[in-house]
Amino acid sequence: MSDAAQPTAAEVRAAAEAVKTALDRHLAAVERRSGDDDPAVSEAFNQLAAAAEVYDELLYDRYDEVTPFEIPGADELPPYAGPEEPNAISVLIRRDYAVAEPQRLLAQAQRVEAAEYDETGGSAEGAAATVPGALGVLFGEFEPDEIASRHKEFGLEEGDSTLWVTAAEEPPEAGEWLETPFDHIDPQGVVCRFDVSAMFDDEEDGEDEDLEFVEDEDGDPEPLDTRK
């Protein structure tokens, strides 16, 4: 953004004062709320979210700084409505990588393949000769967490990642969901989620972590609600 388009210091200060005012209004609405779905609380929440967003944008545009908090939006997880005392959980993980150095990836996979066939006395079949084959070799040899910690060694570049913990009354039957493991996830059964993305670039390493705990149906945080 050019200097001419930057907000003034006074505008940033005014936005900060608007956040303070919105905080006071939100607290007052919460203290006076008539029930779980009090529209006055919802309106105050939305006003606080809007004021915080404006302040965050102006602060970044003027000073290249960001706020340390986020106001949940309507597109995020709904309130938790799963079992109060779950007897089973599922952990869903997605990690994205870019194949930044294909030759390094191939070389690492070929080493693994060669070592495996040296131990068995057989001959390598060349599965690591292609990028898909090399990925199959590496992910078959190493645990996902090890690949995540050593991704640069394998020629990979980290992208976004997310981890969701869902709760259930009982564990599923063996093999029940293997054909479609990521279908039929009830968002209201998500206990917490842990997100990592390069879009959170206010940390020194260019990456921030966002830990979100969902609220129960009453709008109260679950016992595990301890944000960083």
Side-chain angles (χ1 to χ4, degrees):
M1 177 179 292
S2 66
D3 291 340
Q6 284 185 342
T8 65
E11 289 174 326
V12 178
R13 173 64 61 180
E17 293 299 327
V19 172
K20 297 175 186 177
T21 301
L23 277 169
D24 290 338
R25 289 175 177 170
H26 181 259
L27 178 58
V30 170
E31 291 173 337
R32 297 193 305 265
R33 70 180 179 183
S34 59
D36 294 338
D37 299 321
D38 191 329
V41 175
S42 297
E43 182 180 357
F45 176 91
N46 292 332
Q47 291 175 350
L48 174 58
E53 183 177 1
V54 170
Y55 172 62
D56 189 81
E57 290 179 357
L58 293 177
L59 186 71
Y60 182 80
D61 290 344
R62 176 70 185 182
Y63 300 110
D64 199 23
E65 292 288 345
V66 295
T67 57
F69 55 84
E70 290 186 19
I71 302 294
D75 57 342
E76 295 187 359
L77 292 174
Y80 175 73
E84 292 185 3
E85 298 183 6
N87 295 309
I89 64 168
S90 295
V91 180
L92 293 82
I93 301 175
R94 172 173 172 168
R95 293 187 178 120
D96 287 357
Y97 298 94
V99 181
E101 300 180 72
Q103 293 306 315
R104 180 184 291 272
L105 176 74
L106 294 169
Q108 291 282 20
Q110 288 162 7
R111 290 192 189 98
V112 170
E113 192 175 52
E116 178 181 341
Y117 284 102
D118 284 346
E119 291 178 0
T120 60
S123 59
E125 297 179 356
T130 65
V131 169
L135 290 169
V137 169
L138 292 175
F139 278 88
E141 177 70 15
F142 300 103
E143 293 290 335
D145 287 344
E146 184 171 2
I147 289 180
S149 65
R150 300 174 55 190
H151 61 279
K152 291 183 179 179
E153 296 180 38
F154 302 130
L156 302 175
E157 181 179 307
E158 283 185 315
D160 291 353
S161 68
T162 188
L163 180 152
W164 294 34
V165 179
T166 67
E169 292 281 3
E170 300 294 339
E173 296 291 334
E176 179 179 341
W177 49 258
L178 289 178
E179 290 187 2
T180 55
F182 302 110
D183 291 352
H184 313 301
I185 300 302
D186 182 3
Q188 290 189 307
V190 177
V191 178
C192 61
R193 59 181 291 178
F194 183 69
D195 299 328
V196 178
S197 176
M199 69 180 289
F200 307 125
D201 58 0
D202 56 321
E203 295 292 327
E204 289 184 0
D205 61 359
E207 186 175 87
D208 192 17
E209 298 175 349
D210 181 44
L211 180 61
E212 177 187 347
F213 288 87
V214 298
E215 296 179 338
D216 61 20
E217 289 182 312
D218 295 330
D220 297 323
E222 290 296 298
L224 292 177
D225 191 352
T226 55
R227 298 184 63 98
K228 287 186 176 182

